Amino acid sequence: TSVEVATSSDVDYRKTFGVGFIGVVEVNSPIGNLDSHSSGGFGFYIKYRPVRYFSIEFTNDYLFGTLKYTDNYMLGYTKVPIALGARIHFLDYGNVDTYAALAASLSVISYYDDYNYRQNTYISGNEYQYGVQFGIGFGYIAGIFEIGFDIRYTIESVPDYIPYYISDDTKVIHGGLFTLSIGLAL
């Protein structure tokens, strides 16, 4: 009798397509009379890696946050960013993935009064924000499952309208985006 033992060269690590869910935390720099604004939420991602060291990605998040003003007034908002980008992978196909990412984003923002939960009064319809993201990430693939962590530096435009905002002529908002993902690698 002979026994065959599988080696690592027998395992196909070439996973070119991925889809899954992400948990997101976003923090932003102070501007004008806004001390800070941060948000958290969830989303989904789709990625496609047609060649070894390059892939494209699409993400859609749903963020819920609070604007905090210098006079301690707080105002809630909902932000829905959509991003399309590219990843440069440092390692060949395998169960460990490290990459650098660059993406462009478009966000739709709705503001509401945090103190009036019953009426959920919207102050403005939708405002838009454009931006770019630069970052690095790490992923681990086990079978068809993938878990990953991503950290990005963001630069976004100041929306045309922010309730109660007193401008200081700042044109961009700097921030950070932290994501934890779990999904399928196919």
Side-chain angles (χ1 to χ4, degrees), residues 2-171:
S2 64
V3 176
E4 289 188 26
V5 177
T7 63
S8 62
S9 61
D10 296 333
V11 180
D12 182 16
Y13 288 112
R14 184 182 161 124
K15 307 290 185 175
T16 59
F17 182 75
V19 61
F21 296 101
I22 52 180
V24 184
V25 174
E26 181 183 51
V27 294
N28 292 297
S29 63
I31 57 169
N33 64 329
L34 285 174
D35 272 345
S36 66
H37 50 294
S38 59
S39 55
F42 60 91
F44 70 90
Y45 71 91
I46 299 171
K47 67 176 183 170
Y48 177 62
R49 188 174 177 180
V51 294
R52 291 178 174 193
Y53 297 105
F54 178 79
S55 65
I56 55 175
E57 67 177 12
F58 171 79
T59 60
N60 185 337
D61 302 325
Y62 300 90
L63 303 172
F64 309 96
T66 303
L67 300 174
K68 183 179 178 192
Y69 295 86
T70 53
D71 62 358
N72 290 326
Y73 179 72
M74 297 172 82
L75 182 76
Y77 68 93
T78 302
K79 181 176 179 179
V80 181
I82 297 171
L84 182 63
R87 295 179 179 181
I88 304 298
H89 299 269
F90 299 121
L91 301 173
D92 199 351
Y93 292 112
N95 60 345
V96 175
D97 183 21
T98 57
Y99 57 88
L102 171 65
S105 66
L106 168 65
S107 301
V108 179
I109 304 170
S110 295
Y111 304 101
Y112 55 91
D113 189 348
D114 238 7
Y115 297 107
N116 195 349
Y117 289 109
R118 289 189 180 159
Q119 291 181 359
N120 202 16
T121 307
Y122 283 87
I123 296 172
S124 171
N126 293 323
E127 291 301 320
Y128 300 95
Q129 189 175 33
Y130 307 94
V132 294
Q133 305 171 355
F134 308 95
I136 57 173
F138 170 81
Y140 181 75
I141 299 171
I144 64 166
F145 298 102
E146 178 179 20
I147 187 167
F149 177 74
D150 196 302
I151 182 170
R152 298 191 185 190
Y153 171 70
T154 61
I155 302 172
E156 296 177 303
S157 63
V158 176
D160 289 337
Y161 173 73
I162 301 173
Y164 316 118
Y165 172 64
I166 301 171
S167 176
D168 63 354
D169 294 326
T170 301
K171 303 292 184 212

